Amino acid sequence: MSRRTALALGATLALGAGLAVLPTQAQAATVVVSTTADLTSAIKNATAGTVIQVRAGTYYPTATLQSTANGTSSSPVTLQAYGSETVKIDGSSLPAGDWIFKLTADYWNVSNLTFQNSPDSAVVCQSCTGTNWNNIKTINGGDSGFTLTGDGTVNNTVKNIDSYGNYDAAGHGENADGVAVKFGSGTGNLITGARLYNNSDDGIDFWSFSSPVTVEHTWSFGNGKNRWGDSAFAGDGNGYKLGGDGEVVAHVVNNSAAWDDAGNGFTENSNTGSIVINRTTAYANGKYGYYFATSSAKLGKNLAVGNGSAAVSKGSSVTSSGNNWDSGISTPSFVSTDASTTYNSRKSDGSLPATTFLTTGSTTIGATMN
């Protein structure tokens, strides 16, 4: 057998066994993994253009999966489930206080994976640029499900995430959010199509993040309720906590809804910036639908119904127009107040499930929900 034939046969066998195809100048590596050890190695050793495909099953890492390897805008690193297979990465074998996945890198695409039972936060992306997170789940963890943090957090997109059941026992529920964008800065970050529910603290939390973040077509519900029998429970339970720690930031929320949260549906949380809240719905939250007492927020075409304290608390610097608490604006009727369909499976493209819950048919006020 010639040396060339032997090399070709070796490459063919490697492909058939699902092993890595070594990168060349013309082709980056594709790695198909089916064990925790292989998954750990593939993430650690990824380079620009690497595609990591994870076969069906539940993986139990014993240390945080992490990488500092950058992709590029034209050659990102990809981490995804193999085809349509179901992949769960379970943190129950990790040491106390560990995260499941920590990324300190740029230009990664992560999709169709579930991160569950983390001792602490499930996924943390620190000072990342240009990452895309699509159709992932972060569930039943010991702190926030998904976190963007650090300076230089730029142009990241979190799309169609489900994050629920997260609870920090050590903090009596005070810290575990569905999605947290905290303690950092950087423009161009987008959260879209998120479903954030039954977390011990808030659905979304932008505490101490000094650059604007955009949220669109997102649902946040059932947060801040003591589902864990914690006698010292301290969860805040806001649907959208849009500030804190003295930062003045013009975050934007469009076409989103908050319901059945223990606290406020939408709140500035002491952020005095020009927050924009447009065509959203706050229904049956424990406190205010909209709490903007000190900010210069712009509230437009929002719908508040059945919230515990009142529809809105707004200071003199708030611009309010076209909302159902404004003069001359009527409150349309909901087609349904049965939320059961909001727990259904997502559509085939990963978007939120179809529902008539909180829909009104209006083209001028409230979240469309679909």
Side-chain angles (χ1 to χ4, degrees), residues 6-23:
L7 288 172
L9 179 59
T12 301
L13 291 173
L15 279 169
L19 301 177
V21 180
L22 295 178

Side-chain angles (χ1 to χ4, degrees), residues 212-272:
V213 180
T214 297
V215 181
E216 61 185 27
H217 200 199
T218 285
W219 299 345
S220 183
F221 56 97
N223 298 294
K225 297 190 173 186
N226 187 3
R227 306 173 190 277
W228 298 271
D230 187 337
S231 60
F233 188 73
D236 290 334
N238 297 294
Y240 301 76
K241 182 187 285 182
L242 304 174
D245 202 28
E247 301 292 354
V248 180
V249 197
H251 298 304
V252 176
V253 183
N254 291 317
N255 194 20
S256 296
W259 67 90
D260 194 35
D261 295 300
N264 302 299
F266 300 80
T267 177
E268 66 188 24
N269 200 47
S270 77
N271 175 6
T272 60

